[in-house]
Every structure is written in C-alpha cells, then in structure tokens.
Amino acid sequence: MDLPHDVTFDTALRYVDHLHIPEGVSTFSVAAYFELDARLAWRINKHWLVAIVGDNLLHERHWEFLPTEVQTQATEIPRSIFAEVTFQL
C-alpha cells in the first residue's frame, strides 16, 4: 500500500495446513498455523530506502519441515524483526 511521503506498507498473511512426514521417515508432524509478515518502508530519495521488516509476527516461533540431503527434519522458526537499508545507483 502506498502512503503519503514515499512510504509503503506491505503485509502477507499465510496459512499452512497440518504437515506430516510419512511413516518410516519420521514421526514428527507440524500443526496448521497462520502467520503474518509486514514491511514499512520509506524511500528517502531516489538512492536511499529504509525499512522495518517483521517476519512471523503472530507467534513467537513455529515449526516447519526442512528437507536435507539425508532426510526431512523439523526446524523451529522464530519471529524476527529487522531493519533494512538499501542504496541504489
């Protein structure tokens, strides 16, 4: 969403259904969840942009499956908030 003074605000809400690894590989499953990402950015001029970004804002952490070369394993993904500074020529 474009706001006044070259500010933009973007969000993404996603739903992930219940996930289960087939028997014999693992006995771990991941419950269904909603998650929200957001980004507030200000284009200072044609070269500089600063932003605050938040990922996985609805929960302190959630589980996801990450495939590896050997097996698929469950990994806990934390909430994250960070600043972004971009310079373009």
Side-chain angles (χ1 to χ4, degrees):
M1 169 187 337
D2 291 334
L3 302 171
H5 308 292
D6 297 316
V7 174
T8 59
F9 180 65
D10 301 298
T11 60
L13 178 67
R14 66 185 177 280
Y15 172 76
V16 177
D17 203 355
H18 171 85
L19 301 172
H20 181 74
I21 293 180
E23 243 180 85
V25 177
S26 173
T27 58
F28 195 84
S29 64
V30 174
Y33 61 90
F34 280 95
E35 205 49 86
L36 176 71
D37 299 338
R39 180 175 180 265
L40 180 65
W42 173 40
R43 178 158 297 284
I44 299 169
N45 57 41
K46 69 179 187 174
H47 299 292
W48 290 97
L49 179 131
V50 295
I52 299 293
V53 180
D55 291 335
N56 305 311
L57 296 174
L58 297 181
H59 304 97
E60 189 174 325
R61 57 186 37 88
H62 67 270
W63 288 94
E64 291 183 4
F65 282 133
L66 297 178
T68 65
E69 290 181 19
V70 178
Q71 65 182 12
T72 300
Q73 66 185 48
T75 301
E76 196 172 31
I77 307 297
R79 173 186 300 144
S80 62
I81 298 173
F82 56 94
E84 173 185 4
V85 178
T86 305
F87 176 78
Q88 294 177 320
L89 292 175

